[in-house]
Amino acid sequence: LKATFEIAPNDTVAPHLDDWYLNGVDGCIEVADAYTGVITNALTIEAVVYVPDWNQEANYPAIFEKHQNFNNRLWFNLITGSKLIHLGYNVNNAGWDFVSAGIQAGEWVYAVGVINGDVMSIYLDGTLAASKTHSYSAFNWSAITHPIRISSPDRPLRGLIRWVRVYSRTLSSNEISSSYNNQHVVNASDLVLFLDPTFYDGTHYI
């Protein structure tokens, strides 16, 4: 077996071997927010997700969340009744900003949520699916003082998650397309979180 990769200066190779299975009842991966920098008005969340069907136990199952309370929350989740994937946040109760796009159950999807100033976007399988200008609050990662979760104890996801990556900048459409086409090559420029079960021993990342 021979694999050939095109590696840019900020890229690294990360072989993927395992997926997280989340049971929709109490499956949740929680990690401390070890990143101490400030992320404001520029953020990218990448996730590769398999949703088997829309008969989820929760109405708004979370793929990724940073959740202090209802008034301070970053949420990349599903809306089961509308069959949508949803990126939203509320900082210091200033109001909800969000964007949504439709996805299909029963297949893997590479989903990317982007905050770029006052524009929020969702890309699906490397292509822009939805974009919206928001009007409420400036995004501030450090204002949401809570650990990071894949799935959620009170909004559990039933399905599979391959990996989640978070960047402290906006990935370009070309970078997102490149990541979709070659998911074993990781763009490490301003990558602040890389959560992959391949490098997780059940307690911590190795």
Side-chain angles (χ1 to χ4, degrees):
L1 178 65
K2 180 180 179 180
T4 303
F5 301 98
E6 293 184 7
I7 306 296
N10 291 315
D11 287 350
T12 187
V13 176
H16 173 80
L17 302 176
D18 299 299
D19 301 318
W20 273 302
Y21 168 71
L22 300 155
N23 62 14
V25 179
D26 56 6
C28 173
I29 297 94
E30 182 174 297
V31 296
D33 180 10
Y35 179 67
T36 58
V38 176
I39 304 176
T40 56
N41 293 327
L43 174 75
T44 302
I45 303 171
E46 294 181 302
V48 179
V49 185
Y50 179 85
V51 181
D53 56 65
W54 290 106
N55 295 318
Q56 297 278 323
E57 288 74 5
N59 292 326
Y60 305 100
I63 298 168
F64 174 93
E65 70 172 13
K66 193 173 191 286
H67 171 206
Q68 179 181 356
N69 52 48
F70 187 80
N71 297 326
N72 283 280
R73 175 185 294 178
L74 168 65
W75 204 1
F76 200 26
N77 69 295
L78 303 175
I79 302 178
T80 58
S82 303
K83 301 180 181 179
L84 298 172
I85 189 166
H86 173 91
L87 173 69
Y89 70 87
N90 184 1
V91 177
N92 295 326
N93 199 26
W96 274 102
D97 286 313
F98 64 88
V99 63
S100 302
I103 66 168
Q104 296 294 320
E107 58 188 44
W108 284 98
V109 61
Y110 166 67
V112 183
V114 176
I115 298 172
N116 183 14
D118 61 354
V119 178
M120 303 176 70
S121 304
I122 291 177
Y123 290 76
L124 299 175
D125 292 339
T127 301
L128 180 65
S131 186
K132 179 182 177 181
T133 301
H134 62 77
S135 57
Y136 288 108
S137 58
F139 178 71
N140 184 345
W141 173 279
S142 60
I144 307 172
T145 56
H146 198 87
I148 293 149
R149 295 190 181 111
I150 293 174
S151 187
S152 170
D154 54 345
R155 291 166 299 280
L157 172 70
R158 180 168 52 81
L160 300 170
I161 292 183
R162 185 154 288 169
W163 46 257
V164 174
R165 301 171 187 158
V166 178
Y167 293 83
S168 61
R169 66 180 178 92
T170 301
L171 294 188
S172 69
S173 58
N174 286 339
E175 288 176 308
I176 292 169
S177 177
S178 177
S179 183
Y180 169 66
N181 290 321
N182 196 345
Q183 296 181 23
H184 292 289
V185 176
V186 181
N187 181 340
S189 175
D190 297 312
L191 176 67
V192 297
L193 285 170
F194 180 19
L195 308 178
D196 186 319
T198 303
F199 310 107
Y200 186 69
D201 68 1
T203 303
H204 62 280
Y205 286 88
I206 56 176

